[in-house]
Amino acid sequence: MIQLGVNIDHIATLRQARLADEPDVLQSALESLGGGAHGITVHLREDRRHIQDKDVFLLNKKIFPLNLEMSASSEIVKIALRIKPEKVCLVPEKRQELTTEGGLAVSKQMKQIDKVVSQLKKKGIVVSLFIDPIEKEIKAAKKVGANYIELHTGVYANAKSKSNRNKEVKRLRIGSELAYSLGVGVNAGHGLNYENTQQICQEVPYIEELNIGHSIVARAVFVGMKQAVKDMVRIIKNK
Ligand code: PXP
């Protein structure tokens, strides 16, 4: 079965709106695992708009496996090397964006990404690169030694028509097949929700893990975190 990593950034977004102690990020992680999630993902952004350093330290002590999404900036890499989470997913980061807007341009910064991937792998961290389903980027991910790629499903999720959605699914499928043939593991995520996740599960082969955040946290407002995760796990299981 495809594994579900639940991204709990927006539990922290709500907390930071009041700079308060609630909602509790660790509790949301525990409830996600109780609902059937296979792991927890958080993005430690350079501007610390939601997840804080203390969250990452605490989650890494209490939660397994923790997947840390992060930019390849030296400040954040230093933190990852100290904390040593189970997994790291390198993402591009722009300060003004609302969320991660595109995949990492690995081919344009091979030297820097190569260096960061080796530093992380040397500490035993499983490294994934968040990229668009583009042949050049998948080959570059292989070249720098990434264990996984995480295919960016945002363009698929934002497609307005069925034909555009199908076109994007095809790109994701071809990308996944290429990565698999190169021996690189495949994860996927971004913009997935209770309507569109099933198509990805059914039509994109070789996916080992989906990372889903916003839609689960949004549903949790009404049904609770555990139930929201259970509902998503059911979709993934019933593919
Ligand atoms: N994967 C990556 C690499 C991301 O940056 C994000 C957003 O933080 C997600 C998955 C989850 O996206 P969403 O919140 O749209 O489900």
Side-chain angles (χ1 to χ4, degrees):
M1 185 197 144
I2 295 173
Q3 312 264 289
L4 173 64
V6 175
N7 181 315
I8 55 171
D9 290 349
H10 295 316
I11 299 292
T13 301
L14 186 53
R15 181 193 62 191
Q16 295 307 110
R18 279 292 178 92
L19 300 176
D21 295 328
E22 57 184 13
D24 187 273
V25 166
L26 175 59
Q27 189 186 347
S28 79
L30 294 170
E31 291 196 14
S32 297
L33 295 174
H38 303 94
I40 298 299
T41 295
V42 290
H43 185 172
L44 184 66
R45 294 189 70 101
E46 289 169 49
D47 64 9
R48 307 300 200 274
R49 69 174 72 157
H50 37 56
I51 291 293
Q52 307 294 305
D53 301 43
K54 66 177 187 319
D55 296 320
V56 184
F57 279 97
L58 182 65
L59 289 166
N60 198 49
K61 265 199 209 132
K62 308 271 185 190
I63 297 293
F64 184 85
L66 182 71
N67 175 32
L68 180 62
E69 271 178 27
M70 51 180 256
S71 74
S73 76
S74 58
E75 185 227 347
I76 303 284
V77 171
K78 248 188 232 156
I79 294 172
L81 293 173
R82 189 144 45 98
I83 295 177
K84 291 190 277 246
E86 173 74 6
K87 312 178 203 180
V88 157
C89 179
L90 294 178
V91 301
E93 201 174 297
K94 290 188 224 122
R95 290 202 176 233
Q96 300 312 321
E97 68 191 359
L98 285 178
T99 180
T100 314
E101 281 167 0
L104 196 63
V106 185
S107 61
K108 288 204 183 108
Q109 35 184 340
M110 293 289 280
K111 225 166 128 187
Q112 197 212 350
I113 302 289
D114 191 301
K115 182 175 152 211
V116 173
V117 170
S118 338
Q119 284 176 318
L120 294 167
K121 281 175 73 179
K122 249 186 229 149
K123 295 279 184 187
I125 300 168
V126 176
V127 182
S128 158
L129 303 180
F130 182 59
I131 59 172
D132 292 304
I134 297 171
E135 185 179 333
K136 188 165 76 168
E137 298 306 334
I138 296 166
K139 288 185 171 165
K142 164 77 182 172
K143 227 180 208 162
V144 298
N147 304 100
Y148 284 84
I149 55 165
E150 178 165 326
L151 286 172
H152 186 356
T153 51
V155 180
Y156 159 79
N158 289 333
K160 297 280 176 256
S161 68
K162 194 170 170 196
S163 74
N164 280 346
R165 259 196 307 280
N166 289 341
K167 207 168 79 193
E168 289 306 321
V169 166
K170 190 174 168 197
R171 290 179 67 219
L172 291 163
R173 192 178 68 233
I174 292 169
S176 186
E177 286 167 349
L178 173 61
Y180 182 79
S181 74
L182 295 172
V184 180
V186 181
N187 299 328
H190 212 283
L192 297 179
N193 59 34
Y194 294 84
E195 273 73 50
N196 61 19
T197 296
Q198 193 177 37
Q199 187 180 17
I200 293 293
C201 293
Q202 286 175 343
E203 298 181 27
V204 183
Y206 308 122
I207 293 178
E208 291 184 34
E209 177 182 287
L210 292 176
N211 282 302
I212 307 181
H214 185 264
S215 64
I216 292 177
V217 173
R219 191 183 192 89
V221 170
F222 300 106
V223 304
M225 201 65 191
K226 199 167 176 179
Q227 187 61 47
V229 172
K230 268 188 191 172
D231 294 344
M232 186 57 84
V233 168
R234 194 176 314 117
I235 289 172
I236 295 172
K237 262 191 187 156
N238 288 346
K239 74 163 185 149

